[in-house]
Amino acid sequence: MPANMISKILEKAVHPLDVIAPHVKSEAARTSVLRNPNMEKLQKGYLFPEISRKHEAHLKKNPDAKVISLGIGDTTEPIPRVIASAMAEYALALSTPEGYQGYGPEQGQMNLRKVIADKVYPNMGIKESEVFISDGAQCDIARLQMLFGPNVTIAVQDPTFPGYVDNGVIVGQTGEADEAGRYAGISYMRCAPENHFFPDLSRVPRTDVIFFCSPNNPTGHAASAAQLRELVDFARRNGSIIVFDAAYAWYVSDDDDGDGSNTNSKKPRSIYEVPGAREVAIEICSFSKFAGFTGVRLGWAVVPGELRYADGSPVARDFDRIVCTCFNGASSVAQAGGLACLATEEGRDAVRRVVGVYKENARVLVDTFASLGKEVYGGADSPYVWVRFPGRRSWDVFAEILDKTHVITVPGSGFGPGGEGFVRVSAFNSRDRVLEAAARLRKYLA
């Protein structure tokens, strides 16, 4: 067929989009579905992908730069062999008729739920039926926000992990954000050096839900027993629910006196160490930061049977419904690894050694900034170091450190308005890289 005839036929051909959506005339096809208006409220991109984009842009500009990431809290130490071997053996068994298993319980394997109840919460009254295994704490935050729905009011530490706020925005719990980044409908509980990183609860309005992370991300502060008693009493008086994020509990050091005699200075690893917490608190936790499961994905939530809504119905029943509706259960291979972490002393010792590596890295970073006269916090009970740069904007400090030292940090303002003027520095990297980063920072900041 001649070329001119083909072109005439093509000119008269009907475009597929004209058949599917004849009313759409622009080059970019559109549906008739309205965008979720809550998505429009979200500020820019989520913090950590934004950091990754700036990392990539820096490498394009400086292709020979040896960038060291002390930013996103991704673990770098290998998973201990005793734990990896347990997952490998379980995975290999799936290739046999005897060892194959398909779907498991949505709430998790009962043996892992029992080990968590017994080993993580000894003498706290937690039952295995109250433990829900998940694919990580961040996913549990989203499921809990779905559980609570759009009509609750929430309070968050300021600064804090941005997932609590962003998920609240998405489900419709907030209004618009102001110029400082504060969303209408959220109570921001200021946590700063001036108040020892614990909010003045006498100035915090009553909310339905209180998100509280200890040790805190990003400040690294671990709340004392006295502070958590105050928080639990506050929730009980107001009829609120605490969502206690204990993702970094394994980093908490022993009490200051070393003998456990000073119960006020002791830093609990769980909210359930506080009397009365079972009636007002949900706890979420993760294997990511103590076992290196950032890629494996495994966590849990504890929802006690005593926790009730205003109408007397159990919160656990609704959370179970959410889990069974939205989730087919955590990977059985990952759960085998979780069991290996906690079921034996060998596994527990192995993860303690991993935590020890990051805590030593944090000490190096704290010492580095302190030797330069910087105001530095965290690091003792957390893998995060919180450094103040008075009079500076966090993103400017982040950009300058990256440009001058090729070291990635995280701007404090990404964790809320209260983080402005700070940067978070992560201890998650190899010892050699942390020492190299410390040397670069000393040279630049000196």
Side-chain angles (χ1 to χ4, degrees), residues 150-213:
N151 298 320
V152 300
T153 54
I154 68 172
V156 298
Q157 293 158 291
D158 182 24
T160 197
F161 179 66
Y164 316 132
V165 170
D166 284 11
N167 276 292
V169 174
I170 290 169
V171 300
Q173 294 170 352
T174 77
E176 300 289 341
D178 63 18
E179 291 184 0
R182 295 182 180 88
Y183 285 95
I186 295 180
S187 177
Y188 290 83
M189 304 184 295
R190 178 73 168 147
C191 295
E194 292 74 23
N195 63 5
H196 306 289
F197 296 104
F198 189 79
D200 180 357
L201 295 177
S202 68
R203 303 179 64 179
V204 175
R206 188 262 169 203
T207 60
D208 296 310
V209 180
I210 303 166
F211 286 93
F212 197 91
C213 179

Side-chain angles (χ1 to χ4, degrees), residues 404-424:
K404 302 296 185 183
T405 71
H406 307 305
V407 173
I408 293 178
T409 58
V410 179
S413 58
F415 298 96
E420 188 61 271
F422 290 83
V423 295
R424 192 195 77 177

Side-chain angles (χ1 to χ4, degrees), residues 196 224 287 295 374 395:
H196 306 289
S224 68
F287 285 85
K374 296 298 181 184
W395 277 105

Side-chain angles (χ1 to χ4, degrees), residues 2-338:
N4 62 337
M5 292 183 64
I6 295 175
S7 63
K8 288 181 180 179
I9 292 172
L10 290 175
E11 285 175 6
K12 295 180 180 180
V14 178
H15 193 280
L17 283 178
D18 292 332
V19 176
I20 298 171
H23 60 287
V24 177
K25 300 300 182 184
S26 64
E27 290 185 11
R30 300 181 184 182
T31 70
S32 300
V33 179
L34 296 178
R35 185 186 184 198
N36 177 353
N38 297 318
M39 297 301 297
E40 298 178 18
K41 298 177 189 175
L42 291 171
Q43 301 175 70
K44 300 181 180 178
Y46 189 63
L47 174 61
F48 301 111
E50 190 72 18
I51 298 291
S52 296
R53 282 190 287 272
K54 292 185 180 295
H55 181 182
E56 292 171 7
H58 181 75
L59 285 175
K60 285 183 180 179
K61 183 181 176 183
N62 305 275
D64 297 326
K66 293 181 172 58
V67 175
I68 298 175
S69 178
L70 302 181
I72 297 172
D74 191 3
T75 52
T76 55
E77 288 296 298
I79 294 173
R81 183 172 293 275
V82 63
I83 297 163
S85 294
M87 290 189 282
E89 289 173 10
Y90 185 93
L92 187 61
L94 293 174
S95 67
T96 68
E98 300 78 18
Y100 177 76
Q101 294 185 37
Y103 288 125
E106 291 89 347
Q107 305 85 349
Q109 301 288 351
M110 188 56 76
N111 55 356
L112 178 57
R113 298 169 75 188
K114 179 171 174 51
V115 164
I116 290 172
D118 292 346
K119 300 300 183 183
V120 180
Y121 304 101
N123 305 314
M124 297 181 213
I126 300 300
K127 308 177 185 71
E128 56 263 37
S129 60
E130 297 170 330
V131 178
F132 295 80
I133 307 301
S134 71
D135 50 348
Q138 186 153 341
C139 298
D140 277 331
I141 293 167
R143 292 183 192 109
L144 286 168
Q145 289 287 43
M146 182 187 297
L147 172 77
F148 296 134
N151 298 320
V152 300
T153 54
I154 68 172
V156 298
Q157 293 158 291
D158 182 24
T160 197
F161 179 66
Y164 316 132
V165 170
D166 284 11
N167 276 292
V169 174
I170 290 169
V171 300
Q173 294 170 352
T174 77
E176 300 289 341
D178 63 18
E179 291 184 0
R182 295 182 180 88
Y183 285 95
I186 295 180
S187 177
Y188 290 83
M189 304 184 295
R190 178 73 168 147
C191 295
E194 292 74 23
N195 63 5
H196 306 289
F197 296 104
F198 189 79
D200 180 357
L201 295 177
S202 68
R203 303 179 64 179
V204 175
R206 188 262 169 203
T207 60
D208 296 310
V209 180
I210 303 166
F211 286 93
F212 197 91
C213 179
S214 179
N216 176 262
N217 177 13
T219 68
H221 174 74
S224 68
Q227 289 173 332
L228 290 185
R229 279 200 300 273
E230 185 180 346
L231 179 65
V232 168
D233 290 344
F234 178 75
R236 288 170 65 88
R237 286 196 305 273
N238 288 320
S240 304
I241 293 176
I242 300 166
V243 177
F244 189 79
D245 188 342
Y248 301 95
W250 282 68
Y251 289 81
V252 174
S253 303
D254 291 334
D255 63 279
D256 294 340
D257 294 331
D259 60 2
S261 60
N262 189 342
T263 56
N264 286 326
S265 68
K266 185 177 185 295
K267 299 166 184 175
R269 292 179 172 87
S270 169
I271 192 70
Y272 301 121
E273 295 180 44
V274 179
R278 287 179 54 87
E279 298 172 9
V280 294
I282 294 168
E283 183 164 301
I284 57 177
C285 199
S286 168
F287 285 85
S288 289
K289 304 306 168 70
F290 74 85
F293 276 28
T294 50
V296 174
R297 309 307 307 148
L298 193 68
W300 71 85
V302 177
V303 188
E306 291 94 327
L307 186 64
R308 304 274 167 158
Y309 290 114
D311 65 0
S313 60
V315 175
R317 184 173 65 195
D318 282 2
F319 188 64
D320 183 81
R321 186 69 170 84
I322 291 284
V323 168
C324 293
T325 300
C326 303
F327 190 45
N328 274 334
S331 159
S332 57
V333 177
Q335 291 187 70

Side-chain angles (χ1 to χ4, degrees), residues 348-382:
R348 294 191 294 274
D349 282 345
V351 296
R352 288 188 193 106
R353 286 192 293 272
V354 171
V355 169
V357 170
Y358 298 130
K359 291 191 70 169
E360 178 60 20
N361 286 350
R363 186 195 62 77
V364 169
L365 293 168
V366 169
D367 290 350
T368 297
F369 287 107
S371 70
L372 295 164
K374 296 298 181 184
E375 194 176 330
V376 57
Y377 303 93
D381 299 298
S382 163

